[in-house]
Amino acid sequence: MTLQEYVEEVLTLVESIPEGRVMSYGAIADVLADRAGRNSPRQVGTIMARHGGGVPWHRVVSSSGRLPPGHEREARARLLAEGVPLRGDRVLISEAGWVPGGSVPPERP
DNA sequence: GGGGTGACCCAGT
DNA sequence: TACTGGGCCACCC
C-alpha cells in the first residue's frame, strides 16, 4: 500500500460520508488503520489540506468538532444547510458523527 | 541529509 | 471549558 493509494482511500471514504453526517480525522485514520504504515490522524489532515478539493471536505472535522482553519465560515454554512447539529462554531460529533457500517461511534458514555 | 511545520489526538492541569 | 506538552510522520525548505 503506497501513500498515493492511501490518499485515494481517504478521499473515497470522505466521499462516502452521507449528507448531514461528519467524520473526524482520527475516525478516518482509525477506519483506514495501518493501511499506510501507522494510524496517523495528522496525515489525514495533511491529505485533506493538499488533496481535499473535489470531496465534501466540510464533512471532515477535528475530534472536538472544530472546523478546518481558514474555511470555518464556508464549512459552517454548508453543514447548516445539510442539517448538521452545531454548537456555536463546532459540530456536535456525538450527534452527527458517522462511521462506515451504519452504526454509531464506538461508545457514548 | 537535517530541521521546521502542520485542516491532529490524548492526557493532564 | 480552555490551555499545554508530548507523540506522530509526510512534506518542504
Side-chain angles (χ1 to χ4, degrees), chain A residues 10-11 20 26 29 55 90:
Chain A
V10 170
L11 296 181
V55 298
R90 299 197 198 176

Side-chain angles (χ1 to χ4, degrees), chain A residues 39-52:
Chain A
N39 178 9
S40 18
R42 222 165 165 169
Q43 261 51 276
V44 176
T46 302
I47 288 169
M48 289 308 292
R50 295 178 57 78
H51 311 100

Side-chain angles (χ1 to χ4, degrees), chain A residues 59-103:
Chain A
R59 294 180 192 151
V60 183
V61 300
S62 78
S63 69
S64 47
R66 274 202 181 295
L67 279 47
H71 300 268
E72 291 126 348
R73 210 184 74 86
E74 182 171 356
R76 195 164 83 81
R78 294 193 185 195
L79 293 170
L80 276 173
E82 294 184 0
V84 173
L86 299 177
R87 183 192 39 157
D89 275 355
R90 299 197 198 176
V91 174
L92 295 180
I93 277 255
S94 56
E95 302 282 331
W98 178 85
V99 289
S103 261

